[in-house]
Amino acid sequence: MTTSRADQVSHTARAQSFNAVAAQYADHRPTYPPALFDAIEELTGRPLAGSRVADVGAGTGVATARLLERGAHVVAVEPGEGMAAEFRRRLPGTPVVRGDGDALPLAAQSADLITYAQSWHWTDPARSVPEALRVLRPGGALALWWNTSALDVPWIAEASARAGRHFGRDFSREQNDLDATTADPSGRLDFARRTVRWSRRVPIDTHLANLGSHSLFLVQSPDRTAAHLTEERRHVLDVFPDGIVEETYDVVLLLASAPPAA
């Protein structure tokens, strides 16, 4: 499939849109459950404690913080100035370097694990796959994951359908595209897949601020975004009249190992 110039511009604008709302992103985006990191350790066959990890597209450090809690030695890679500044404010002792997955600013064979939390889709796999293989030590691993909405929960499915109409997109189909073929069209990597379900309970203002921190909203006019979020507040309060929203997520994890040493 060819990509039009307009699509490329839109993709770039969305990728850069987070920098203006870095604090909102950090304050309201969901984290990741311990079971996700258990799955990574199971699939790699080694503990995160003591591992050298490159967290790419680290943003404000949501995933980095969880990796540090597991005892990993993390260097973060983040292309956005605003996001990197927020990262430094929240995790001042953790190194973060400017760069992206298509040209990693890291030495060859310097990482046991490379992670992409909500960020692999901003890369070009034709470039980011070879870069990951260059930076990973022999037998190291590449882990990609996304928090996705649990669409079998009725109120979440209805909210997703409303957002789909608003944006003219099929979010259920897009979630189904989070697979090995999409992650690496070349087929060089053999991905294992795991899905981890979890939930969090948050005030409705946090729920709406989380929605508003997504790039599809950030590149719209403020009036159009505000109108949709006002409508969402009404719908969500019909389900959670006390204003405490239970968000349910399925974390989709794809993990592939680099070839062992010859």
Side-chain angles (χ1 to χ4, degrees), residues 102-113:
D102 294 341
L104 290 170
L106 302 172
Q109 299 188 11
S110 61
D112 300 309
L113 176 68

Side-chain angles (χ1 to χ4, degrees), residues 73 115 260:
H73 303 300
T115 59

Side-chain angles (χ1 to χ4, degrees), residues 4 25 36 43 63-64 73 77 85 108 117 146 152 166 181 188 196 206 237 241:
S4 70
Y25 186 108
L36 168 66
L43 290 168
T64 305
H73 303 300
V77 178
W146 294 265
D152 59 329
H166 181 78
T181 301
R188 293 180 65 181
V196 177
T206 296
L237 284 174

Side-chain angles (χ1 to χ4, degrees), residues 98-241:
R98 299 287 298 282
D100 63 58
D102 294 341
L104 290 170
L106 302 172
Q109 299 188 11
S110 61
D112 300 309
L113 176 68
I114 299 176
T115 59
Y116 281 81
Q118 311 286 142
S119 60
W120 184 255
H121 53 283
W122 300 120
T123 75
D124 174 4
R127 299 171 64 190
S128 55
V129 168
E131 274 294 270
L133 291 172
R134 178 184 67 81
V135 171
L136 284 171
R137 64 162 180 80
L142 171 66
L144 325 174
W145 68 82
W146 294 265
N147 261 328
T148 68
S149 298
L151 295 178
D152 59 329
V153 177
W155 82 266
I156 294 176
E158 292 165 6
S160 179
R162 289 191 296 272
R165 291 191 294 272
H166 181 78
F167 291 113
R169 299 174 67 138
D170 183 349
F171 290 110
S172 62
R173 182 186 63 79
E174 291 181 11
Q175 287 191 193
N176 289 333
D177 285 343
L178 298 178
D179 59 17
T181 301
T182 304
D184 177 21
S186 73
R188 293 180 65 181
L189 297 174
D190 183 15
F191 282 103
R193 179 183 171 117
R194 295 284 189 276
T195 301
V196 177
R197 175 157 291 194
W198 73 288
S199 63
R200 67 171 188 170
R201 290 173 56 82
V202 295
I204 190 168
D205 286 345
T206 296
H207 172 72
L208 295 173
N210 171 29
L211 291 181
S213 74
H214 285 73
S215 61
L216 287 170
F217 283 106
L218 297 174
V219 296
Q220 292 192 53
S221 72
D223 288 346
R224 189 161 187 247
T225 293
H228 181 76
L229 294 179
T230 297
E231 180 184 355
E232 275 306 292
R233 180 183 293 274
R234 178 173 60 82
H235 285 295
V236 173
L237 284 174
D238 285 342
V239 182
F240 301 101

